[in-house]
Each structure stands twice: as structure tokens, then as C-alpha cells.
Amino acid sequence: MLGVITSPHRLSRIGTHPAETKVAKVETSTSQPASPPLTERQEARRRRILHASAQLASRGGFDAVQMREVAESSQVALGTLYRYFPSKIHLLVATMQDQLEHMHGTLRKKPPTGDTAAERVAETLMRAFRALQREPHLADAMVRALTFADRSVSPEVDQVSRQTTVIILDAMGLENPTPEQLSAVRVIEHTWHSALITWLSGRASIAQVKIDIETVCRLIDLTEVGGTGAPEAHA
């Protein structure tokens, strides 16, 4: 699939990569207060929970992820599970962030090879789609949770968005993205999410998704005139 959530103590290290530093600065004003770092034992428990969530979703989709079964599969008390994830929606959105982080690690080992930033981003997002194709039940569960998420799940949703942004910026090869480039990235993220929903609902083929992704990624070209990252001025 795209597997392993960033724990709070790992999130505190965002900024070690230039693109992550930029994103962190942009989001500082809206970010939640930092949580205390997890201990090694707590981190191991959290990973077991996320692994159980992904396995149950892979087998039966959204409805198969029941909190009691997740607790049993991960060998934690039900009350402990709820302390980590207050609801099934929190858990599945965290599972999506986990999958994205794993994909990010894979991409760093084998980065996209396109000649332009737009080509590399499109290649990256299509690799994500191909991974999702291999786990359709898990993909559906995660996207449904993201769609159902309310304000109480904002920190988890923000982590998904942040991880997606960093993946795209890495593919673009940007160290210091401009506000215009970050805006283009947000539009690409929105299109990617919408394409996921239409594909999972059977209303779009992978071929159509590819066309849509390649089209929206051309926005990147508009922010790279002259190689400066600044948009072209119009008379």
C-alpha cells in the first residue's frame, strides 16, 4: 500500500527536510499545541493499533473496522485504544497518514524520474493510485473516514494534508516554495482527493484519473517561469 503513522515525537522533527520546514512555517498559525512525545512502549502500541486497523480494513473495508476488534487484534484494552483514537474516524484517518508516510519513504528511495516538476508530481500521484488499486477495501475505508471527518478530527486531517504536501514538494524538488507554488500544491491535493472519491465510487477509470492528475499538475508550470518559482507577470 502507500504503512506507519508519524507519532507526535516524530512529527516534532518535521523541518529536517527543507520542504517540510517551509510547510511547518506556513501552518504554524493554525497548528494544534504539540502533544508530549510517546514513549517507546507507547509508540509500539500505537503501531500495533494502526497495523490492526489497516488489516481489518483491507479485508472488509470501512464496516470491518470495529474498535473492539481492533483492540483485540492489537492486544490493547478497549479503553486504551480510545485514549489513542477517540473514534473509528480518528483511527482510519490516522491510518491514511500512516500509509502516506510509508509511501513517502518508498518514494525517497526510488524518486520519480520525470524531466519536469509537473511530470514528477503526476508520476508520484499515479504511483499512489496504483498502490491503492492493490488494496481497494483499505483505500475505500480511509477515504470514507476522511470524507466523514468533522472538526474533532482536524489534527489528524491536517497531518494527512501536511504529509501529502511534503510528498508533492519533494517530487517538485522544491526547497523554498513560494506562496503561489503552495497554492498550486493545494489545488493538486484537492484534485487528488476528488479523483480518489470518483474512482472508488466507480465513476472514473484509472485512465481518466491519470488525465485529470496530469492536467492539474500543469499548474506547477505556471509557477516556474524563468526558473525562479515566481509566476509570470502580465501586462
Side-chain angles (χ1 to χ4, degrees), residues 31-232:
S31 61
Q32 300 290 322
S35 300
L38 295 182
T39 65
E40 185 175 342
R41 184 176 179 181
Q42 289 171 328
E43 174 68 10
R45 185 181 296 130
R46 186 182 179 91
R47 289 189 178 280
R48 290 202 310 272
I49 291 169
L50 290 165
H51 179 70
S53 169
Q55 286 208 319
L56 288 168
S58 294
R59 290 198 292 265
F62 184 86
D63 292 336
V65 181
Q66 301 298 322
M67 297 297 271
R68 187 171 296 280
E69 289 190 35
V70 171
E72 292 174 357
S73 297
S74 57
Q75 299 180 319
V76 302
L78 185 59
T80 300
L81 171 60
Y82 276 109
R83 283 199 296 274
Y84 281 84
F85 302 103
S87 73
K88 171 173 159 177
I89 300 298
H90 287 79
L91 174 57
L92 282 169
V93 173
T95 301
M96 185 169 191
Q97 197 278 340
D98 179 40
Q99 299 296 313
L100 287 169
E101 187 188 10
H102 179 71
M103 186 190 76
H104 194 193
T106 300
L107 288 166
R108 281 181 167 173
K109 292 176 183 176
K110 188 178 179 181
T113 58
D115 292 331
T116 67
E119 289 174 354
R120 292 192 298 274
V121 172
E123 179 186 339
T124 293
L125 296 179
M126 287 313 300
R127 281 170 66 178
F129 263 99
R130 285 191 288 271
L132 288 165
Q133 268 190 299
R134 295 192 289 270
E135 296 281 3
H137 293 305
L138 175 58
D140 181 67
M142 295 187 302
V143 172
R144 284 177 66 182
L146 197 63
T147 303
F148 296 155
D150 58 22
R151 288 186 178 182
S152 71
V153 198
S154 291
E156 289 79 5
V157 172
D158 287 346
Q159 287 180 15
V160 168
S161 178
R162 174 180 233 161
Q163 188 71 56
T164 307
T165 296
V166 173
I167 288 172
I168 293 172
L169 291 176
D170 267 1
M172 291 169 70
L174 284 180
E175 293 187 357
N176 295 293
T178 65
E180 291 81 6
Q181 288 168 327
L182 287 172
S183 181
V185 168
R186 284 192 294 272
V187 175
I188 292 169
E189 285 182 35
H190 295 328
T191 303
W192 184 68
H193 182 230
S194 176
L196 272 176
I197 293 173
T198 55
W199 169 67
L200 286 167
S201 64
R203 291 183 286 122
S205 65
I206 287 293
Q208 184 59 56
V209 166
K210 186 172 186 292
I211 292 171
D212 292 348
I213 293 299
E214 289 176 345
T215 299
V216 74
C217 285
R218 290 176 193 149
L219 283 175
I220 295 169
D221 295 334
L222 301 179
T223 69
E224 293 188 330
V225 175
T228 63
E232 183 176 12

